[in-house]
Each structure stands twice: as C-alpha cells, then as structure tokens.
C-alpha cells in the first residue's frame, strides 16, 4: 500500500470512514475483477481518489454500491463497496502507477531488482500492467497514452536533471499523468465544466505526491546510492517545503471551482489530509492518539510510569481514581466499582461482586460467556489466524478468555493532531471544528 493520502480513522466520521473504505475496497475488487487476483497488489491510497472524485460529482447512489463478501483484511466481514466506472478508472490508473513504481525501482536497482532475472520478470509484469490498464481505460473512453507516455518520459527527464534543475521540471511527467486522470472523472460524471479545475487539482497533486515520495525516501536513497530528485537537483529542504505548501494551497483554490454533488469526502481528503501528509513527510507533526513522535519512533521517551497512550503501566488504576473526584474512593484508598479494578472484570475489591454470589465473586460477569478450554481455545486461535482477525479486525473475541480485543493493526494509522482546521476556509460543514 503506497500513497500520501492516508487518513487517520479517528479524524473521519463514521459515515465518511465507511465511504473511504468503500472506495478502497472497490478499487481492490475492481483490480481483481478486470485484471486478476495478482493485480490487487497495485491497490494504493492515492488511486482511490479517482473513484472518490467521480462519486463526489455524481453523488453516492445505491446503483454504484454492492455488498462484497467476507474479506480477511476486513476481519471476515462483508461491506458495501464502490463499483462502476469510477472504480474501474481508479483501477486502470493504479496499474499504470504501480507499473511506473516498478520501473523506477528497476532503474534504481533496489533490493532484489539488482538481479537480472528478477528485474526481467518485473519488467514483464510492468509491461503487462500497462497493457491491462490501457484496455480498461479504453473501454472508459480514457486515453491512457498520456499516463504511459509520462512514465516513459520520466527516465529521460531524470537523466537530464542535475544541480540547478528546477524540481518542477522533474515532477512534470507525474503532473501531466495525474492531471489527465483527474480531469477524466468529469467526463465520467457528465460534468465537462469540471475538467479544467480538476486537471489543475491533478497537476498539483502529482507534484505533491512526487515530492513527498522523494522527501520520505531521501535518506534511504542516499544510503543505497539511488537517484533522488532533491539530491540530484541540489534543492534545499526549505525550497521543497515551499513547493509542497504551494501545491496544497493551489489544490484548495482549484477545488472551489469544481461543481460537486457531494463534496464531503473529497474535501476531507484533498483539503484536510494533504497538509497533514506534508507535515508527516517533513516530520513536523505528532500523533494525538498514539503519542508517536514525528520520526515514527515507537520508543520515544515518556514521563516515568506512563505508557505512550498516557495510561499507567501493568494495568494499574489511574492515580486520579484516588482523588476527591472519584466517587468510589474511600479513606483507605481506591475502591473501584465492581469489575473495574482487577483487570478481568470478575468482581470488585470490596465484596458483593456481580450479584448472585454472596461470597463476593461470581465466576463470570453475566454479559460474557465463560472462557474456552485449552483445546477449544487452540481451535479458535487457529481460526482467528487463518481469517487474519488477529491483525486486521477492529475487535475480536479472545480465543481462550473470550474478552474483547483489538487487532494488532487496528491502530496502525498515520494520524496526527485531530481536526486542526486553523486557516481552513471550510464551507461544506463536513467537520465539527
């Protein structure tokens, strides 16, 4: 999964998150339906913007949604996913983008692509994706040659670049390709008047995506002696940041000229999330939910006795529970309400428990089934592993204890300070700022 628009689940309302996931899953399934199972590896966060923009101009309709079957990446749950021309165009664009990424890695001789047999196989895959993307795009009336030509020109542009070359000269092929894809969403939506401003949005988005990718890869590229546009042109960090900030402002201004039927999700992704993507790439922001530092270091220092989320370690009760504001605190210290002090909810510290057991503790609270035995728990554990619920589900039932757990990756979001709308001229009412 690559891309710069990676919204945190804490910043999207429930409805907008469902819509975003509908487009992401719709892109993945469109790749499978048109190009086979392996093509799903081309799913990316930025390609789904094509599907989002198409729906934003036409309005979400039940005819453009279908119920997809259980998927391991959704914790084996069904979901409503996007379908139709927008999702298929997003799939076509994603294939060409992925093909360009493969060609770039081959040119840079990254990792296993240094080996000639592997590089030759990767070239065949990239060429096949180019042809497949062209077939789908042709059926939608989109001339994919603009994308393929841009991919082909990129290598020559990079070879010609040197100290003093403007960064915008290096990003021009990406800008041209993205502008063509964004503009065609106006044709699919039957709103030709939106083509010009959406082409400008696409041009600036392509520039931004190219530059942020270069910023994030600069250290790695230097270590591997790989080509990087910022290093090759000698551009400063300040100049690169200025170009990124200008692109963000330009996108915001161009979107004002687009006639949308339902602008909410497109507005959140292109107006609110892009500045955060810039801050994330330049390491100038922090996460309000996970406490992660700008560098992404999970081992950042915390106040003594605190976890990154600000909770006391080892399941201890917060100190504030002993204070005067705690209605359960007594003279002898903390007295928690039944089920809130011992980590597994089986009764309190002062007797009485859950009721029905005058001795104090009942074996299990009434709203939870008893734990499984060893063998039954092992079978449940295998089932959770095989369905990827251990890592992907937002919530699952523990195999032995039956307690509610969160999937390992349920909090793996690139989040920063929530709903910071300073300086944002919002008129769509899509956020509660």
């Amino acid at each position: 999964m690559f891309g710069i628009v990676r919204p945190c689940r804490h910043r999207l309302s429930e409805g907008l998150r469902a819509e975003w996931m509908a487009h992401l899953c719709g892109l993945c399934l469109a790749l499978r339906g048109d190009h086979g199972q392996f093509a799903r590896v081309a799913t990316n966060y930025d390609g789904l913007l094509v599907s989002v923009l198409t729906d934003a101009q036409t309005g979400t309709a039940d005819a453009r949604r279908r119920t997809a079957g259980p998927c391991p990446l959704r914790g084996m749950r069904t979901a409503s996913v996007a379908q139709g021309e927008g999702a298929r165009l997003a799939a076509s664009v994603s294939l060409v983008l992925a093909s360009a990424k493969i060609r770039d890695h081959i040119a840079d001789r990254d990792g296993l692509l240094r080996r000639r047999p592997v590089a030759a196989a990767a070239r065949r895959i990239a060429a096949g994706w180019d042809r497949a993307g062209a077939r789908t795009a042709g059926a939608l009336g989109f001339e994919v040659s603009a994308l393929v030509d841009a991919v082909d020109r990129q290598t020559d542009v990079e070879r010609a670049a040197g100290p003093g070359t403007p960064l915008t000269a290096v990003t021009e092929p990406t800008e041209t390709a993205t502008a063509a894809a964004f503009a065609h969403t106006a044709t699919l939506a039957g709103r030709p008047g939106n083509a010009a401003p959406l082409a400008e949005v696409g041009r600036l988005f392509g520039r931004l995506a190219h530059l942020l990718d270069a910023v994030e890869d600069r250290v790695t590229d230097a270590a591997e002696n790989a080509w990087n546009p910022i290093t090759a042109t000698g551009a400063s960090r300040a100049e690169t940041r200025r170009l990124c900030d200008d692109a963000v402002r330009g996108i915001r201004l161009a979107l004002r000229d687009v006639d949308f039927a339902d602008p909410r999700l497109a507005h959140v992704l292109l107006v609110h999330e892009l500045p955060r993507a810039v801050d994330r790439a330049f390491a100038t922001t922090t996460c309000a939910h996970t406490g992660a530092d700008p560098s992404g270091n999970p081992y950042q220092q915390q106040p003594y006795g605190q976890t990154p989320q600000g909770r006391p370690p080892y399941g201890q009760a917060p100190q504030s529970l002993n204070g005067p504001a705690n209605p359960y605190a007594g003279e002898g210290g903390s007295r928690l309400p039944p089920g809130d002090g011992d980590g597994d909810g089986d009764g309190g510290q002062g007797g009485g428990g859950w009721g029905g057991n005058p001795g104090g503790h009942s074996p299990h609270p009434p709203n939870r089934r008893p734990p499984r035995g060893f063998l039954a728990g092992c079978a449940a554990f295998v089932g959770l592993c095989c369905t990827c619920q251990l890592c992907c589900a937002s919530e699952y039932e523990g195999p032995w204890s039956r307690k509610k757990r969160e999937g390992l990756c349920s909090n793996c979001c690139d989040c920063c300070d929530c709903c910071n709308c300073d300086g944002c001229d919002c008129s769509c009412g899509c956020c509660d700022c």
Side-chain angles (χ1 to χ4, degrees):
M1 292 291 292
F2 59 93
I4 64 173
V5 183
R6 306 190 292 268
C8 171
R9 66 188 178 97
H10 298 90
R11 287 196 302 266
L12 294 179
S13 67
E14 184 177 350
L16 289 182
R17 176 167 173 77
E19 277 298 298
W20 185 75
M21 288 299 299
H23 288 286
L24 185 61
C25 293
L27 167 59
C28 180
L29 294 175
L31 284 166
R32 184 195 67 179
D34 288 343
H35 310 291
Q37 195 71 250
F38 181 70
R40 299 173 80 176
V41 302
T43 305
N44 67 92
Y45 293 119
D46 295 343
L48 68 86
L49 286 174
V50 173
S51 180
V52 170
L53 287 172
T54 303
D55 266 16
Q57 295 172 81
T58 58
T60 303
D62 292 339
R64 289 187 295 276
R65 293 289 184 270
R66 71 177 181 89
T67 300
C71 175
L73 297 181
R74 290 194 299 267
M76 298 305 294
R77 292 188 298 270
T78 60
S80 175
V81 302
Q83 65 174 348
E85 294 181 333
R88 295 185 66 202
L89 179 62
S92 174
V93 171
S94 295
L95 280 179
V96 178
L97 286 174
S99 171
K101 199 112 180 146
I102 290 175
R103 295 175 192 273
D104 184 57
H105 287 310
I106 293 174
D108 293 340
R109 298 174 61 83
D110 290 340
L112 291 176
L113 293 176
R114 292 189 179 95
R115 302 176 181 271
R116 290 184 178 178
V118 177
R123 286 193 187 93
R124 286 196 293 271
I125 292 173
W129 282 355
D130 284 340
R131 292 191 297 270
R135 286 195 303 270
T136 302
L140 298 172
F142 178 54
E143 289 294 334
V144 78
S145 58
L147 274 66
V148 177
D149 291 346
V151 171
D152 292 339
R153 284 192 296 109
Q154 187 67 52
T155 302
D156 295 333
V157 169
E158 291 179 358
R159 287 173 180 168
T165 302
L167 278 173
T168 51
V170 180
T171 61
E172 182 274 325
T174 306
E175 295 177 22
T176 302
T178 316
F182 277 34
H184 193 68
T185 63
T187 302
L188 295 180
R191 295 178 182 258
N194 288 340
L198 284 176
E200 179 67 6
V201 172
R203 183 180 69 83
L204 294 173
F205 182 84
R207 175 185 300 179
L208 186 63
H210 197 133
L211 291 177
L212 293 187
D213 184 64
V215 170
E216 292 176 343
D217 293 346
R218 190 173 184 182
V219 175
T220 304
D221 289 343
E224 297 180 355
N225 198 28
W227 195 90
N228 185 285
I230 299 174
T231 304
T233 60
S236 66
R237 182 182 178 89
E239 171 66 11
T240 307
R241 178 63 190 253
R242 184 188 66 79
L243 288 173
C244 291
D245 290 338
D246 287 348
V248 169
R249 284 191 291 269
I251 289 172
R252 181 182 300 171
L253 293 174
L255 283 173
R256 294 179 180 177
D257 297 328
V258 181
D259 182 17
F260 284 123
D262 184 2
R264 291 176 298 169
L265 183 58
H267 176 90
V268 169
L269 297 180
L270 292 172
V271 174
H272 291 262
E273 291 301 326
L274 287 185
R276 294 183 176 110
V278 175
D279 288 339
R280 182 171 61 240
F282 284 89
T284 57
T285 189
T286 58
C287 175
H289 299 102
T290 63
D293 67 1
S295 65
N297 176 20
Y299 303 104
Q300 59 171 336
Q301 292 185 353
Q302 299 290 337
Y304 180 75
Q306 295 288 323
T307 63
Q309 289 78 15
R311 295 190 297 268
Y314 313 120
Q316 298 171 4
Q319 293 181 1
S320 61
L321 291 176
N322 294 325
N326 178 19
Y328 302 101
E331 296 179 356
S334 172
R335 281 187 189 170
L336 300 180
D340 282 348
D342 57 359
D344 58 6
D346 293 335
Q349 296 181 3
W354 288 90
N357 182 4
H361 292 283
S362 66
H364 308 289
N367 61 342
R368 197 177 79 216
R369 291 177 290 176
R372 295 186 179 94
F374 176 74
L375 294 179
C378 289
F381 179 79
V382 171
L384 291 171
C385 289
C386 292
T387 57
C388 298
Q389 293 187 62
L390 285 177
C391 62
C392 301
S394 59
E395 187 178 79
Y396 66 91
E397 188 180 78
W400 286 279
S401 68
R402 293 185 184 269
K403 295 178 184 177
K404 295 298 182 183
R405 308 289 190 190
E406 288 188 352
L408 298 177
C409 301
S410 63
N411 288 320
C412 294
C413 55
D414 298 289
C415 53
C416 50
D417 293 334
C418 260
C419 207
N420 180 11
C421 300
D422 296 340
C424 175
D425 182 15
C426 296
S427 59
C428 65
C430 65
C431 48
D432 299 322
C433 300

